[in-house]
Amino acid sequence: MKSALRYIISLGLAGGLIWFVFKDIDLADMLERFERSDWRWIAISCVFLIMAHVIRAWRWSMLMEPLGYKPGLFNSAISVLTGYFANYIVPRMGEVTRCGTLYRLEKVPVNLSFGTVVAERIFDVLILLVLIGLNFILEFDRLSTFFTDFFQSKLAGGQSSGTGSGILLVILLAGILSIAFAGIYIFKNQALKDKLSQNALIQKIVTFAQGMLEGLLSIRKLKSPGLFIFSTIAIWVLYYLVSYVLFFCIPETSGLGPLAGLTLLVVGAIGMTAPTQGGIGAYHLLVGNVMILYGLSQKDGITLATFIHGTQMLFMLIIGALAFLYVLLQKDKDVSEPSKITVSQ
């Protein structure tokens, strides 16, 4: 009942967001634009997407080597694809499905493989945080103007955009300094530290931070930490290219530059974390509105978001379904953990 209720709420949230985004959009006009798009760029985007998932599977297998397992690249990639396929059906089921699939194909224990999935997610979150910071630095004027204009529209009067950007920068620096001073004060005050350590929310934050630190330090156990870092960077570069090349499919977006691609990557990644099937609705809402910063109308921004998300979703559903069918046709391995390797003590 709990799982069914969670699924219904997620589906309802996705439906509500989709309605809100498309309530003023002419769908016939949007479909006509899709028909006039250059589908060669879609093929290139799909190639980049497959490459990203194969490299993700390769990186995942690196994390399992120190645990004594070395699954094949093909089976690891099939597991990754079935995980993405499951995420488009039931949110947050991808990780469990991915690990269960790998157990069926390679007999890698689910508890071990799930731990490595959590570890690699930590590295992805770290990269995303770096990209958010980089995006904010490179596009500070554009983003600050957007936010100050947004808040000024909610309040009577207001400063000019230039003055508003300066105020936003001062507020940002003041916030960073306040957090730093608060951290130093808490660190030096043992009584306050003990009191805060008993707070349930603080305990969850500390546990999460410790988990991230352990995940980051786990790279020291890898045989080739340099290859792991390279694969992580390569995955995100390919994610960037997956969306960026689709700019050239539609005449209205073909003039967008590389920085627009970076903003789309960051905002789109945030939208994909929403508790809906494949980020449906949240992705369209965030990307559709942020593209206004680059001279697009809201209609063109939503068209671009729909085009990018739709092509990726359709492609992943097809590839994921084929991967899932492949798994169903496979017999359970009747051997004693062939992917197990010997780890030197």
Side-chain angles (χ1 to χ4, degrees):
M1 180 64 69
K2 184 178 178 181
S3 299
L5 184 61
R6 185 185 300 119
Y7 180 77
I8 292 171
I9 292 174
S10 174
L11 196 62
L13 178 60
L17 288 172
I18 286 293
W19 172 83
F20 180 78
V21 170
F22 290 97
K23 60 185 176 65
D24 297 321
I25 299 296
D26 185 347
L27 296 181
D29 179 63
M30 180 180 290
L31 290 175
E32 184 181 348
R33 293 189 185 193
F34 291 167
E35 292 175 358
R36 290 188 282 108
S37 56
D38 189 343
W39 290 82
R40 291 174 298 180
W41 290 107
I42 296 177
I44 295 173
S45 176
C46 291
V47 170
F48 286 145
L49 189 58
I50 283 293
M51 290 173 61
H53 293 326
V54 170
I55 294 177
R56 178 174 288 279
W58 175 45
R59 185 185 68 169
W60 189 27
S61 65
M62 289 187 211
L63 286 171
M64 284 182 275
E65 273 195 72
L67 302 177
Y69 292 88
K70 191 175 182 180
L73 179 60
F74 180 78
N75 284 339
S76 296
I78 289 292
S79 301
V80 169
L81 292 174
T82 56
Y84 280 105
F85 177 70
N87 257 344
Y88 279 112
I89 300 174
V90 182
R92 304 294 175 265
M93 277 297 294
E95 288 77 8
V96 177
T97 303
R98 172 175 161 183
C99 297
T101 301
L102 190 66
Y103 175 76
R104 180 180 175 86
L105 296 176
E106 293 280 356
K107 287 295 182 282
V108 178
V110 173
N111 62 324
L112 293 180
S113 60
F114 191 80
T116 59
V117 170
V118 173
E120 73 165 359
R121 284 288 182 263
I122 291 172
F123 284 94
D124 286 334
V125 169
L126 180 63
I127 292 294
L128 180 58
L129 291 175
V130 171
L131 290 175
I132 291 173
L134 180 64
N135 188 214
F136 191 79
I137 292 172
L138 295 177
E139 293 285 70
F140 177 77
D141 289 340
R142 199 187 300 266
L143 294 174
S144 62
T145 299
F146 173 76
F147 286 116
T148 51
D149 288 347
F150 173 79
F151 286 116
Q152 286 169 16
S153 67
K154 304 298 181 184
L155 301 172
Q159 307 290 332
S160 65
S161 294
T163 304
S165 299
I167 293 175
L168 184 63
L169 179 59
V170 171
I171 293 174
L172 178 64
L173 292 175
I176 294 173
L177 289 175
S178 298
I179 294 173
F181 283 126
I184 294 172
Y185 177 75
I186 293 172
F187 180 77
K188 291 183 176 181
N189 192 321
Q190 186 62 42
L192 183 58
K193 279 199 300 183
D194 293 339
K195 185 177 180 179
L196 289 175
S197 64
Q198 298 174 3
N199 183 275
L201 178 60
I202 297 297
Q203 289 177 352
K204 289 182 179 181
I205 294 174
V206 170
T207 302
F208 177 75
Q210 289 175 342
M212 286 195 66
L213 181 61
E214 290 176 6
L216 293 174
L217 294 178
S218 67
I219 194 174
R220 298 180 302 178
K221 302 176 183 178
L222 298 177
K223 291 184 178 180
S224 304
L227 286 178
F228 182 86
I229 295 173
F230 168 78
S231 63
T232 301
I233 295 173
I235 289 169
W236 282 90
V237 169
L238 286 167
Y239 282 167
Y240 172 83
L241 293 174
V242 165
S243 299
Y244 180 69
V245 297
L246 291 179
F247 285 172
F248 306 106
C249 288
I250 306 173
E252 291 82 1
T253 62
S254 59
L256 295 175
L259 288 180
L262 177 61
T263 301
L264 187 146
L265 173 66
V266 169
V267 174
I270 295 172
M272 293 295 286
T273 62
T276 61
Q277 289 79 355
I280 295 175
Y283 183 95
H284 301 77
L285 180 65
L286 293 177
V287 172
N289 282 278
V290 81
M291 286 294 105
I292 296 175
L293 296 174
Y294 296 91
L296 296 183
S297 65
Q298 187 179 48
K299 181 177 71 173
D300 289 339
I302 292 174
T303 299
L304 175 65
T306 304
F307 190 77
I308 292 175
H309 187 276
T311 52
Q312 291 181 23
M313 181 176 178
L314 181 60
F315 181 69
M316 286 308 304
L317 284 174
I318 294 172
I319 298 299
L322 292 175
F324 189 71
L325 181 62
Y326 170 82
V327 174
L328 290 179
L329 295 176
Q330 297 302 302
K331 296 181 179 179
D332 288 335
K333 282 196 170 185
D334 192 22
V335 290
S336 57
E337 300 182 350
S339 60
K340 188 80 180 286
I341 60 176
T342 302
V343 180
S344 59
Q345 300 295 328

